[in-house]
Amino acid sequence: MRVIRVLAIALTVGIGMGSTAMADGFKNCTKLDKASWKPAGDAEAKAKAAGYEVRRSKIEGSCYEVYGVKEGKLYELFFSPEDLSLKHTIAK
């Protein structure tokens, strides 16, 4: 019984650590109120203009996160909704 309990605790800790490790998003792009943000579609258009094939986009924290493919590689691009400047890029 003790072995099962130890394994259950180890599994719980491992899952918690894995969740933290997988959270690689960049979340701080602006302090501007959402009512003043530029449209999300403008971030997608900017990624397309930079040569990315846009797959999808979403709001992550105070950033527009755009998923795109360029030269066969997947990227996460984080744009400021304030001025659409590229704040961070993650290659997958």
Side-chain angles (χ1 to χ4, degrees), residues 2-85:
R2 184 167 190 255
V3 172
I4 293 172
R5 188 170 153 216
V6 169
L7 288 174
I9 291 169
L11 182 60
T12 301
V13 170
I15 290 171
M17 290 176 65
S19 298
T20 303
M22 291 178 67
D24 60 357
F26 186 80
K27 295 181 173 31
N28 300 313
C29 292
T30 186
K31 294 185 187 300
L32 192 65
D33 185 71
K34 281 188 177 183
S36 301
W37 287 11
K38 295 187 181 287
D42 291 355
E44 289 185 13
K46 192 158 184 182
K48 287 178 185 176
Y52 292 90
E53 177 188 329
V54 174
R55 296 291 171 94
R56 69 183 185 104
S57 64
K58 66 179 186 175
I59 294 174
E60 181 72 28
S62 65
C63 302
Y64 287 139
E65 182 177 5
V66 178
Y67 294 85
V69 176
K70 188 173 189 178
E71 298 173 1
K73 195 166 189 174
L74 179 64
Y75 291 88
E76 291 179 42
L77 309 165
F78 297 85
F79 291 94
S80 169
E82 183 175 352
D83 59 5
L84 299 176
S85 60

